[in-house]
C-alpha cells in the first residue's frame, strides 16, 4: 500500500487552539505553584530531613501532584476479569491528594476475596487495550488447551535466564515459529516487551557508532539508544528527506572531533507509531538504508499480527522483503495475548546478540504458558480463522476511523492501523472527555504531556477483532455526543 505523507499536526491545527492550550497549562501551573507556596506557608508540606537533598525531582514531582494528580481517576483504572471486548472497571472514590482509592465496599470485597457485585463495577466497551486479534480473551479452544498443557508440563516459570538453563524445547519452537513467520533465518525471544529494545539495541551498537532515530520513537528505543553509548541523532517524524540529509552528512563528516568514519550507522523506526497510529514509510527507509549502506532496526510492536492482509506486519503492508530489514523487532503483548517479544533476522547477526544481550543473561526467560499461548496464536493467525480475525480487525478500525473523520473530529493515523488517536489538546478537556465517555460505558486511554507534545493531548482508541460493528457504531455515536459537549470538532469549527 502506498505511503501517505501527512501534514504535521503543529502546522495543521489552528493557532487559537494552540494558544488556548498553552494558556490552560499556564493557569494550572501558576495555581499549582501558588498552592505549593500556601501549603509550605501553613506548614502542611512534609519537609525534607535536614542535610538531605529532595529525593524526588522538583518539576516531575510538582507535575504529578498538581496536574496529573488532579485527574488521576482517568488513569490506572483497576479492572476485574479479562480485558476482552468489554471491560469491568471497579468503582473508585474521587481523586484526593493525587491519589484515587477503591470505594470501601469494593476494597472490602477484594480483601475478603468475595466476588464483586454488579453495582461495584462499571462494564464498559474496551477501547483501551492492545487486544488487537482478541487472543487476550480466555476461552479459545486451541490456545487455552495448549497453555494449560504447558503449565502442567513446564510450570509457571523457568526461574533462570535463557543462557543459564532458562530456555526449553518450547522456547526453541517459538523462536523457529517467529523466524518462519517472518521468512528470516533466526529469532531470539525476550521475557519483556519493553526490555527487547532496552537491551537489544546496546548489544548491536556502542561507542563509535551512530543511531539515527525517528523523533517520536517509543521510550524503550530511547532508553536502549542511551544505554548503548552510541551517538544519537533524531530526524523529524516521518521526514525521509531529513533522514537522508542526516545520513549523508554523518558519512561525510564522520565522528565528532576525530572525523573518523562511524563504526556503523543504525536507523531505527517503528512500523506503527503507538501514539500516532501512523504507518512508517518503510519502502523509502529501505531505499535510503541500501543507498548509504546503513543498518535498519524496525520496531513492529503495534504492527506484527495486526497490519497487512496476513498479519505479517508493515513489511507486508509496504511490499518490502523482510530480508531487507537487518533487525525485525516485535512484541507478544498486542496481537498475541501474552507478554515478551523478539528480534529476528540473519542467523549470523542473531546468534552473537544472543551471547551478549543483557536480558539473556540477567533476566528470567519467558514464562512457558505464555510461550505456548504465542505459538498457538501464530498457528491460528496462519489459519482461516486467523485471516478472518485480521479482516474483522481491519474492518472495525477502518470503520471507526472513517466515521470519526467524517464527523469532523481530528483523527490521526493511517487506515489499516488498529491505533486511532483523536486530538483533545486543551488540558481541561482531558479529564472531562474521559469522564463523560466513562459515564456512557466507554473505557478509553487519554494521553497528555509528557507522553505526547504539550499541545497535542489525545484519546487513543485501540480496536479489536472482538468488537462488533454494532459496538463500533454505538461507540462512535457516544464519542460524537461527548465531542459536541467538550468542543472537539477541530476540523469543523474554529474552537472545536
Amino acid at each position: 500500500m502506498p505511503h501517505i505523507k501527512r501534514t504535521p499536526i503543529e502546522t495543521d491545527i489552528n493557532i487559537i487552539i494552540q494558544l488556548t492550550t498553552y494558556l490552560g497549562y499556564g493557569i494550572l501551573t501558576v495555581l499549582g505553584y501558588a498552592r505549593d507556596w500556601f501549603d509550605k506557608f501553613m506548614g502542611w508540606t512534609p519537609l525534607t530531613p535536614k542535610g538531605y537533598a529532595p529525593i524526588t525531582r522538583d518539576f516531575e514531582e510538582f507535575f504529578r501532584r498538581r496536574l496529573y494528580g488532579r485527574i488521576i481517576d482517568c488513569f490506572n483504572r483497576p479492572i476485574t476479569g479479562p480485558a476482552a471486548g468489554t471491560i469491568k472497571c471497579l468503582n473508585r472514590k474521587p481523586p484526593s491528594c493525587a491519589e484515587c482509592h477503591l470505594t470501601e465496599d469494593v476494597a472490602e470485597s477484594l480483601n475478603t476475596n468475595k466476588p464483586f457485585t454488579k453495582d461495584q463495577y462499571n462494564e464498559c466497551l474496551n477501547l483501551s487495550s492492545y487486544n488487537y486479534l482478541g487472543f487476550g480473551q480466555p476461552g479459545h479452544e486451541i490456545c487455552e488447551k495448549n497453555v494449560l498443557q504447558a503449565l502442567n508440563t513446564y510450570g509457571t516459570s523457568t526461574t533462570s535466564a535463557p543462557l543459564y538453563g532458562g530456555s526449553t524445547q518450547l522456547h526453541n519452537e517459538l523462536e523457529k515459529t517467529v523466524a518462519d513467520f517472518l521468512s528470516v533465518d533466526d529469532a531470539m525471544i525476550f521475557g519483556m516487551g519493553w526490555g527487547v529494545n532496552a537491551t537489544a539495541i546496546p548489544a548491536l551498537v556502542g561507542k563509535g557508532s551512530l543511531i539515527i532515530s525517528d523523533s517520536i520513537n517509543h521510550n524503550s528505543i530511547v532508553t536502549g539508544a542511551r544505554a548503548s553509548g552510541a551517538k544519537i541523532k533524531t530526524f523529524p517524524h516521518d521526514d525521509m528527506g531529513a533522514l537522508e540529509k542526516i545520513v549523508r552528512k554523518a558519512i561525510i563528516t564522520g565522528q565528532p572531533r576525530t572525523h573518523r568514519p562511524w563504526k556503523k550507522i543504525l536507523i531505527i523506526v517503528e512500523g506503527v507509531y503507538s501514539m500516532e497510529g501512523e504507518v512508517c514509510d518503510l519502502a523509502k527507509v529501505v531505499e535510503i538504508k541500501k543507498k548509504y549502506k546503513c543498518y535498519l532496526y524496525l520496531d513492529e510492536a503495534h504492527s506484527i499480527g495486526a497490519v497487512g492482509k496476513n498479519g505479517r506486519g508493515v513489511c507486508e503492508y509496504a511490499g518490502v522483503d523482510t530480508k531487507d530489514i537487518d533487525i525485525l523487532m516485535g512484541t507478544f503483548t498486542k496481537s498475541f495475548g501474552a507478554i515478551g517479544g523478539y528480534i529476528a533476522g540473519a542467523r549470523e547477526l542473531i546468534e552473537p546478540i544472543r551471547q551478549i544481550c543483557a536480558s539473556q543473561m540477567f533476566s528470567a526467560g519467558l514464562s512457558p504458558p505464555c510461550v505456548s499461548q504465542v505459538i498457538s496464536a501464530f498457528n491460528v493467525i496462519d489459519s482461516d480463522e486467523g485471516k478472518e480475525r485480521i479482516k474483522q480487525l481491519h474492518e472495525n478500525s477502518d470503520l471507526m476511523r472513517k466515521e470519526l473523520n467524517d464527523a469532523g473530529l481530528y483523527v490521526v493515523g493511517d487506515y489499516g492501523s488498529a491505533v486511532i488517536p483523536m486530538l483533545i489538546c486543551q488540558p481541561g478537556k482531558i479529564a472531562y472527555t474521559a469522564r463523560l465517555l466513562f459515564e456512557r460505558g466507554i473505557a478509553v486511554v487519554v494521553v497528555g504531556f509528557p507522553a505526547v507534545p504539550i499541545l497535542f493531548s489525545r484519546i487513543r482508541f485501540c480496536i479489536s477483532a472482538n468488537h462488533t460493528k454494532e459496538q463500533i457504531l454505538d461507540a462512535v455515536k457516544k464519542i460524537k455526543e461527548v465531542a459536541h459537549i467538550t468542543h472537539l470538532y477541530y476540523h469543523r469549527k474554529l474552537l472545536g
Side-chain angles (χ1 to χ4, degrees), residues 239-311:
D239 189 335
M240 296 299 107
L243 170 60
E244 185 167 8
K245 286 179 183 177
I246 292 172
V247 172
R248 188 188 302 121
K249 185 177 179 182
I251 293 171
I252 293 170
T253 60
Q255 299 183 43
R257 293 183 299 176
T258 64
H259 300 294
R260 291 176 180 173
W262 295 100
K263 291 180 179 177
K264 66 185 85 166
I265 298 175
L266 179 66
I267 300 170
I268 305 180
V269 295
E270 294 185 40
V272 171
Y273 291 89
S274 59
M275 289 297 171
E276 312 296 318
E278 293 180 358
V279 180
C280 78
D281 189 356
L282 186 62
K284 185 62 178 177
V285 177
V286 169
E287 180 185 320
I288 294 170
K289 164 236 191 290
K290 288 182 174 180
K291 181 178 180 181
Y292 295 99
K293 307 297 187 290
C294 302
Y295 291 103
L296 177 57
Y297 186 107
L298 175 64
D299 180 333
E300 290 221 74
H302 288 269
S303 53
I304 193 66
V307 171
K309 183 180 178 182
N310 300 297

Side-chain angles (χ1 to χ4, degrees), residues 135-167:
F135 289 117
Q137 185 168 332
H140 190 279
E141 183 179 355
I142 296 173
C143 294
E144 195 165 283
K145 175 187 174 184
N146 291 343
V147 167
L148 292 175
Q149 184 177 334
L151 179 64
N152 292 329
T153 304
Y154 296 98
T156 57
S157 172
T158 59
T159 66
S160 181
L163 284 181
Y164 307 129
S167 185

Side-chain angles (χ1 to χ4, degrees), residues 181-204:
F181 188 80
L182 297 171
S183 301
V184 294
D185 297 340
D186 201 2
M188 182 172 78
I189 60 174
F190 295 69
M192 179 185 180
W194 184 89
V196 179
N197 289 329
T199 60
I201 293 172
L204 280 165

Side-chain angles (χ1 to χ4, degrees), residues 300-330:
E300 290 221 74
H302 288 269
S303 53
I304 193 66
V307 171
K309 183 180 178 182
N310 300 297
R312 256 60 179 183
V314 72
C315 288
E316 181 180 35
Y317 180 95
V320 170
D321 189 342
T322 52
K323 290 185 174 62
D324 288 334
I325 315 296
D326 299 289
I327 292 288
L328 291 154
M329 175 271 176

